[in-house]
Amino acid sequence: MGRTESEKNRKRKKGIKSGWMQNCLAVMLVLTLAAGVTGCGGKAGNPSKGPEAGETIEGAGSGESKEALTETEIQVFIAASLNRVMTDLAERYQKMHPEVKIVFHADSSGTLLTQIQEGYECDIFFSAAQKQMDILEGDGLVKEGSRKNVVNNQVVVLTRKDSGTKVQGLFNLKDADSIALAGGSVPVGKYTRQALVNLGICGETEDASKITAREVSEALGGVEISEMDNVSKVLIAVAEGACQVGTTYYSDIYGYEEQVEILEQVSNELTGEVSYPICLVQNPEAEEAQALAAEAFFQYVVSEEAKEVFAAYYFDTDTEP
């Protein structure tokens, strides 16, 4: 026998009442969540937004602070000799700040300077020499007060361990079968040329970077010279045996200890001080989150914590400000 009309109405009314109560509970839950988000520093209607600018995130790591959780990307121009240590530092930093993508552009400091001057987007410039930083600052592209010296280095004469070369250092570089030499616009190339001038091998000049590879070859009695775009290419040419000797930085031997041998650590009295300055670059294309992220990573690189990493990669961290 079927249900009576009154039974059907009771079922229907009960269903209506139950649905009304569920809707009320849902509304109350939404209002409660909204109030909770607002009370924690977020904004109602945008619960996924991170802390406001100026707030510090706990666990950010020494030497730097986290300004925002917004995902962003920063452009960092680094001298080629910094590639491995900066990659390590970036990996450490991104464990604390996975929302920040760090894009490195590694090349000779001269090439990087030219790219920045031509309008390439750059947030941080880390040079292997003061000259390029001086020029950038003269162009008004260095953020005021951000220029700092981070590490020192030293020019070395290298050979492959089984090369059998007669070369002992710059003073008898003419005895090499072939030489890998960085170009004059590359800091290590200029330092090498300046040392050869100070040794009396190359002629006096106001700017050693202008000495061509051909002129160096002639000064060394016609030895074969392969000119390289950056110091990393010099290292590879020597390590792989393409050239018998070459000049790089002391830090470049990291990871190549079993392949190359240092013939001479060239005195700073011959090369001049080999120091690496860093700065924040005026980047008109950077949004607020990008600028904040660049500042935070910059502070991490110049921190005491980062010094330990630089030292592990054979850099000297005892620098003048």
Side-chain angles (χ1 to χ4, degrees):
M1 189 173 181
R3 293 175 181 170
T4 65
E5 188 64 28
S6 60
E7 287 177 333
K8 290 180 180 179
N9 286 340
R10 282 198 300 270
K11 291 288 185 182
R12 183 172 62 85
K13 288 177 182 177
K14 185 177 180 181
I16 292 172
K17 184 177 180 181
S18 176
W20 177 83
M21 291 179 66
Q22 289 176 356
N23 289 339
C24 286
L25 288 172
V27 171
M28 290 174 65
L29 180 59
V30 170
L31 290 174
T32 301
L33 288 174
V37 170
T38 303
C40 290
K43 292 184 179 179
N46 188 15
S48 63
K49 180 175 174 61
E52 298 297 312
E55 289 189 67
T56 300
I57 306 302
E58 294 183 4
S62 63
E64 54 81 29
S65 64
K66 181 69 180 106
E67 301 284 347
L69 285 176
T70 306
E71 289 189 1
T72 190
E73 179 177 295
I74 60 174
Q75 308 296 320
V76 183
F77 284 39
I78 58 173
S81 54
L82 291 165
N83 201 5
R84 282 173 291 178
V85 65
M86 288 297 287
T87 297
D88 189 342
L89 284 171
E91 289 173 353
R92 294 166 186 257
Y93 185 80
Q94 287 179 310
K95 288 180 181 178
M96 300 180 287
H97 304 276
E99 75 286 351
V100 179
K101 181 179 180 181
I102 301 169
V103 180
F104 287 122
H105 304 264
D107 212 322
S108 74
S109 300
T111 297
L112 297 174
L113 170 65
T114 299
Q115 290 175 346
I116 297 171
Q117 291 174 318
E118 290 176 348
Y120 283 59
E121 185 177 3
C122 175
D123 297 298
I124 297 173
F125 178 44
F126 201 168
S127 174
Q130 299 294 337
K131 177 182 177 180
Q132 287 75 22
M133 191 65 73
D134 290 342
I135 294 172
L136 195 69
E137 193 165 33
D139 291 341
L141 295 174
V142 174
K143 282 192 177 181
E144 186 176 354
S146 70
R147 179 174 177 172
K148 298 180 184 296
N149 292 329
V150 183
V151 293
N152 298 321
N153 220 329
Q154 188 171 20
V155 175
V156 297
V157 182
L158 289 180
T159 190
R160 186 181 170 96
K161 282 197 171 181
D162 59 358
S163 72
T165 184
K166 297 177 182 178
V167 175
Q168 296 175 296
L170 289 181
F171 71 93
N172 72 327
L173 199 56
K174 63 181 179 59
D175 293 331
D177 293 338
S178 58
I179 300 170
L181 178 68
S185 65
V186 182
V188 73
K190 180 185 177 181
Y191 291 134
T192 301
R193 287 164 171 78
Q194 186 61 59
L196 292 173
V197 169
N198 290 336
L199 284 170
I201 295 172
C202 289
E204 290 287 340
T205 178
E206 292 183 2
D207 186 355
S209 67
K210 302 298 183 183
I211 300 174
T212 67
R214 182 175 180 177
E215 289 172 333
V216 174
S217 174
E218 291 173 351
L220 294 172
V223 63
E224 177 187 340
I225 292 181
S226 296
E227 191 168 51
M228 304 295 178
D229 295 338
N230 59 55
V231 69
S232 296
K233 292 182 179 180
V234 173
L235 175 67
I236 292 170
V238 174
E240 293 182 350
C243 293
Q244 191 179 50
V245 299
T247 56
T248 69
Y249 297 116
Y250 179 75
S251 64
D252 289 310
I253 70 169
Y254 181 89
Y256 285 83
E257 295 90 344
E258 300 301 317
Q259 297 169 255
V260 300
E261 175 186 354
I262 294 177
L263 300 171
E264 179 188 16
Q265 294 186 38
V266 184
S267 167
N268 287 350
E269 293 180 1
L270 293 176
T271 62
E273 196 71 25
V274 182
S275 59
Y276 288 55
I278 192 173
C279 77
L280 288 164
V281 178
Q282 299 284 3
N283 181 6
E285 297 181 27
E287 296 180 353
E288 182 180 9
Q290 181 177 343
L292 289 171
E295 167 69 24
F297 183 61
F298 172 88
Q299 293 299 335
Y300 176 69
V301 173
V302 301
S303 70
E304 290 299 316
E305 182 179 340
K307 279 187 176 182
E308 296 180 9
V309 181
F310 281 113
Y313 282 82
Y314 304 158
F315 286 92
D316 171 22
T317 60
D318 185 15
T319 61
E320 294 294 329

